[in-house]
Amino acid sequence: MDVGTALDGADDENTEVWDVVVVGAGPGGASAAYAAAVAGRRVLLLEKSELPRYKTCGGGIIGPSRDCLPPGFELPLQDRVHAVTFSLDGRFARTRRSRKMLFGLINRPEFDAQLVEHAQKAGAELRTGVTVTRVEQHGPAVPDRRTVAVVLADGETVLARAVVGADGSASRIGAHVGVKLGQVDLGLEAEIPVPPSVAEDWKGRVLIDWGPMPGSYGWVFPKGDTLTVGVISARGEGAATKRYMEDFVARLGLSGFEPTISSGHLTRCRTDDSPLSRGRVLVCGDAAGLLEPWTREGISYALRSGRLAGEWAVRVAEANDAVDARRQALNYAFAIKAGLGVEMAVGRRMLAVFERRPGLLHATLTGLRPAWNAFADITRGSATLGGMVRSNGMARRALEILDKRMDTSSGVGPAGRGVGKGERSAPEADENAGGKPDATQANVKADGQADVQADVKVEASAKPETPEAPEVV
């Protein structure tokens, strides 16, 4: 890389201009930084926390996630899943098993840190403990139209030819781009240490419980001597979600064990027409509202969109004018919509069906072998939900019948699901460069914790109740 190209266009010849600045060092940001660094660009990766850090996440690594990892990446697996127990609000439990591994389970602190290490080995520079307050694409902080200013909390300004926002579900970069939300859900999770006898009971097996509220479900993911237990439902049902979590933990016989971590998190899912870029700024992963609407699985979406964002950010950085930069950004949006967008469209339909007929879905997965085989193929990565609906006539017709009377035409799932009146969208913006910097970014929280607290106070531990062992067939 010619260092001169990194300095060209700055007011001061000593001012450093990065080719690509990535905000957020989660799976999406680390993947973007890796992709841009491998291409030979000068990349700066900014992260507000010190690494490793905890994230509320089940930690399931499905096939599409494995396929997007850098060469030589060794997954820090805590367990390998060969069996899934499905239950319907604690009833009608049935376990399906597979000789081949379905998916793996990881702890996010280790996984994220390892992804960042691969980005650094590829040439990206990491700065932690850095909070980004806003980005600007014109004004006194921006020396020319080829440059984006990334303004930090301490007043420092970092200059870049392209910026990738991967700063989570309450993204400041997403606010700048104008990401619009169609679905917001509240997840509660606890990391519960258990004795060896209990851990052995769960080894290699996860539980998925279809919950009592529309669209809700709970999970148990074993990770050695700790069980990751959580529930998720539409935002606005905070009290009911908390009750579900407490009942779920008690039903499993785990309420007598003290969690090491209890946390809450909001997942935010984009609308179909939500922008993915503005000028020389791209967004990926949670910052773009990219996740599977039905299961709210986000790691594979972050990894895949992050890699694409990094690759296209390189092209944006090389663009000599706003027209070329816009063309490259639109190509990124097309790549996302042609792949992840198709999967999300099917996921929206599945969510609508699940909200209306959870019992039917449960019976189908536990009683029909083709449905179980499809689930196994999707988790292994040998098939996608969108691909199955496109290529399998029977699957397509079945879904058409199921969602015949369900309106999924606007937003993700039911229109505005879990989204308050004042937060249906981040500030809308033209994707072209030259729009005025939005003044709302100071109102966007650096993370979702304040929002979570407004919905429900997550207790440090559940109250002990009489345990009831789960039924396993």
Side-chain angles (χ1 to χ4, degrees):
M1 152 83 198
D2 180 5
V3 176
T5 63
L7 304 177
D8 178 40
D11 285 342
D12 185 338
E13 62 179 8
N14 295 318
T15 301
E16 184 173 38
V17 181
W18 298 88
D19 291 315
V20 179
V21 168
V22 181
V23 182
S31 294
Y34 175 84
V38 162
R41 302 296 91 179
R42 297 188 65 248
V43 180
L44 177 63
L45 179 58
L46 303 176
E47 167 59 39
K48 68 179 181 180
S49 303
E50 298 297 332
L51 299 175
R53 80 283 187 260
Y54 179 80
K55 286 287 186 180
T56 304
C57 177
I61 301 296
I62 59 177
S65 297
R66 295 195 299 270
D67 294 342
C68 284
L69 295 172
F73 189 97
E74 293 186 9
L75 277 167
L77 292 180
Q78 302 299 308
D79 205 344
R80 293 169 168 80
V81 177
H82 288 264
V84 181
T85 298
F86 296 99
S87 62
L88 184 62
D89 196 18
R91 301 168 296 149
F92 312 117
R94 185 173 183 184
T95 298
R96 304 303 301 255
R97 301 184 185 278
S98 171
R99 288 188 179 90
K100 297 180 182 178
M101 185 180 83
L102 296 169
F103 56 96
L105 299 174
I106 52 91
N107 288 322
R108 280 288 301 276
E110 299 168 12
F111 179 70
D112 289 10
Q114 196 168 318
L115 283 171
V116 170
E117 287 176 9
H118 275 260
Q120 290 177 286
K121 288 177 183 176
E125 183 173 320
L126 172 70
R127 286 182 60 185
T128 59
V130 176
T131 299
V132 173
T133 59
R134 67 186 186 277
V135 292
E136 296 179 2
Q137 299 197 60
H138 67 87
V142 183
D144 58 52
R145 294 293 294 274
R146 289 188 59 209
T147 308
V148 181
V150 180
V151 182
L152 309 184
D154 63 2
E156 180 186 354
T157 297
V158 177
L159 300 180
R161 297 294 181 217
V163 171
V164 176
D167 49 334
S169 64
S171 168
R172 293 178 186 271
I173 312 303
H176 174 80
V177 167
V179 173
K180 295 189 288 186
L181 308 174
Q183 174 184 336
V184 180
D185 293 288
L186 170 66
L188 304 179
E189 191 169 78
E191 303 290 343
I192 305 178
V194 293
S197 58
V198 176
E200 185 63 29
D201 242 7
W202 287 97
K203 187 176 181 180
R205 176 175 65 91
V206 302
L207 170 65
I208 297 177
D209 178 71
W210 313 120
M213 297 91 73
S216 67
Y217 76 95
W219 63 88
V220 179
F221 285 179
K223 299 171 185 176
D225 60 359
T226 298
L227 301 179
T228 298
V229 181
V231 301
I232 194 166
S233 67
R235 186 185 182 185
E237 298 288 341
T241 305
K242 181 182 175 183
R243 285 195 301 272
Y244 177 31
M245 179 69 170
E246 292 173 343
D247 292 345
F248 187 49
V249 170
R251 184 193 308 149
L252 295 167
L254 300 174
S255 56
F257 302 113
E258 186 77 14
T260 54
I261 298 175
S262 290
S263 61
H265 178 68
L266 294 177
T267 64
R268 296 172 167 93
C269 200
R270 72 191 295 273
T271 60
D272 277 341
D273 61 345
S274 180
L276 291 163
S277 67
R278 178 182 178 184
R280 291 177 175 267
V281 179
L282 312 178
V283 285
C284 66
D286 285 346
L290 292 167
L291 69 157
E292 204 289 307
W294 173 31
T295 64
R296 289 75 135 189
E297 189 275 326
I299 293 179
S300 73
Y301 280 69
L303 291 170
R304 288 182 282 177
S305 64
R307 182 184 64 184
L308 288 171
E311 292 170 352
W312 287 105
V314 169
R315 295 171 172 85
V316 171
E318 294 169 347
N320 289 319
D321 54 44
V323 173
D324 191 19
R326 177 175 171 78
R327 182 184 303 115
Q328 303 303 334
L330 289 176
N331 285 336
Y332 165 67
F334 178 80
I336 291 292
K337 292 174 182 178
L340 298 179
V342 172
E343 294 180 32
M344 291 180 73
V346 178
R348 289 194 296 272
R349 296 169 70 186
M350 290 299 299
L351 175 62
V353 171
F354 173 51
E355 289 183 325
R356 292 279 296 274
R357 303 292 296 277
L360 177 61
L361 184 68
H362 177 72
T364 301
L365 274 173
T366 58
L368 298 180
R369 182 164 293 277
W372 163 250
N373 290 341
F375 175 90
D377 287 343
I378 290 168
T379 58
R380 291 193 192 106
S382 58
T384 66
L385 191 56
M388 284 186 173
V389 172
R390 285 197 308 270
S391 62
N392 188 307
M394 182 178 296
R396 185 170 59 252
R397 286 192 296 274
L399 187 55
E400 286 171 355
I401 291 170
L402 286 171
D403 67 7
K404 187 176 181 181
R405 296 194 181 110
M406 299 175 187
D407 179 18
T408 59
S409 60
S410 60
V412 179
R417 183 178 183 276
V419 184
K421 289 183 179 179
E423 43 191 15
R424 184 172 300 277
S425 67
E428 294 191 29
D430 188 342
E431 288 186 350
N432 222 340
K436 293 182 180 180
D438 48 83
T440 62
Q441 296 179 44
N443 297 325
V444 181
K445 297 177 178 62
D447 56 39
Q449 293 306 309
D451 288 335
V452 171
Q453 293 300 323
D455 250 328
V456 57
K457 292 181 179 179
V458 183
E459 296 183 351
S461 62
K463 296 178 181 179
E465 298 183 36
T466 303
E468 178 182 343
E471 177 190 357
V472 180
V473 178

